[in-house]
Amino acid sequence: MKKNLILFFTALSLGIFTYFFQELEDRHKFNEAEKRGTLLDPVALGELKGFSLPNIKITKQGEQYLLLSGEIVDERKVDWFMTILAGIKMKRVLPKEPLKQTERENFFPDEFERVEFHFEKGKVTFVLGKKLDFDQSFYMEVINGSEVSHVVAFDSAPLDTIYDKAEGHRSDHRYRRFQSIFYLDEDFFRDYRIFRHWMNKKWSLLEVELDSRRNRKFSLNFTEAQTTPKIPFFLKAETKEMQAFEEAIVKLEGKSYAQKVDIDFEEVPLATMVVNSSQGEARLTLLRSNRDKKAYFLKSSLDKNIYLIEDKHARLFFKPAQDFWHLFAFGPELASLKVQFPTEETFQLITFNRDNGKFEAKSNGAEASHQSFSQLLKFLSKKADYWVAGNSLDDGYIHQFTLDWGQGPFFLMIRSGEILLYHKESGQGLVYKIAGSPPFPMVKEKYYYE
């Protein structure tokens, strides 16, 4: 934000400096004292204490900007506002003569369109005038203390619309775009970020507990990269997903506050999330409107407000624990694997040479089928569709063979549209969805040649 402020006032200062004190120096015969008096120097003016538009007044307290109500202002929107102003450049300065009433009414027909900045050592006001007829420029009045200047300015920001090239030089699009910022109100500047009260200092998430209608209750500890219930013994933490989830929670925000017409929610919340952070604890409740089933709302214990939120934020509350588990039985780097077919001896894949892709198998002189083992390992090296648990999961599946890659025996079983890799001792497994026939052989004869 400070960078944008400096850019804005430096650009404005340089523009006024150039036209007031270089191009127009002879005409107006300004001396050096007058030059220094009209410079809009943020260093000379001191710290910015706030600014006001016709519909809003913002003051700065400490590191935060506040509305008159005491509500926190979203500094990102202040940054945006200052960036727009930084794009306004001075084209020329009008002769330094007082405007007659009729002239003022012609140049500045709407006194409403003004912004006033309050600095530690004074204030500076900008009044928007009308657009020129023959190009995209417009008049502006600059009031710096007792010094009043009238300039012709233009918006240097890129044009974000299609226009007729022949008439583009006098299009009013840029002017109307700049004019619109003078009508911004509290709803625009209000900070709807859920954790804004924690953002005045460094903070971090420690743990979240999530309970929704769709999934089992679980917690995620960010510092330990662990979930409760714990990650299955044969899987690892999906750290990238944990980091992405943490960032998304930190960025939770509303679009607006709920209106009275919205306060008709389903009796049972869709989900709750308890957030434990270095700044304290917060309880978030996800609600759905009876009036509009597609509208989601979030109630926060930090301020008791209810926010209308976007679908992407609501979806965070429906995450299952296994989204944070690395649902891979093993990776392509696997070097050895035991394969046991029913009522047969154990065959072992001894090596997997990744350089030339050859397999070497040892079992009574049998020769391994490179193609079959490649198909099996390729399939089981991909991410499973989901994790399952239960002591009778193998019911309804046809047992094909058993695999062991150092985590104990897993039954590979199949039924219509699914393959289950099941660890019977723990009652846990991975399910892989398939369309049609399995993409690898199911019988021993396809893996070894006698």
Side-chain angles (χ1 to χ4, degrees), residues 346-350 360-366 368 448:
T346 296
F347 293 87
Q348 183 174 9
L349 175 63
I350 303 299
E360 296 179 6
K362 183 182 293 185
S363 180
N364 300 326
Y448 294 95

Side-chain angles (χ1 to χ4, degrees), residues 5-23:
L5 286 171
I6 293 172
L7 284 174
F8 166 57
F9 287 111
T10 300
L12 195 56
S13 298
L14 289 175
I16 292 179
F17 178 83
T18 299
Y19 289 98
F20 265 87
F21 309 128
Q22 293 183 17
E23 295 183 15

Side-chain angles (χ1 to χ4, degrees), residues 268-274 282-288 296-301 305-307 309 317:
V268 179
L270 292 174
T272 58
M273 180 186 295
V274 178
R283 184 180 182 86
L284 309 179
T285 307
L286 184 67
L287 307 168
R288 184 164 59 187
Y296 295 99
F297 297 85
L298 190 63
K299 183 178 181 181
S300 170
S301 65
N305 288 321
I306 300 178
Y307 303 82
I309 64 172
F317 288 75

Side-chain angles (χ1 to χ4, degrees), residues 12-53:
L12 195 56
S13 298
L14 289 175
I16 292 179
F17 178 83
T18 299
Y19 289 98
F20 265 87
F21 309 128
Q22 293 183 17
E23 295 183 15
L24 302 178
E25 183 177 14
D26 293 337
R27 183 190 304 180
H28 301 297
K29 297 180 180 178
F30 286 118
N31 58 37
E32 290 300 317
E34 288 174 322
K35 293 179 189 179
R36 290 191 296 271
T38 56
L39 276 174
L40 295 177
D41 185 352
V43 176
L45 292 169
E47 182 185 2
L48 178 65
K49 294 297 185 181
F51 61 91
S52 59
L53 291 164

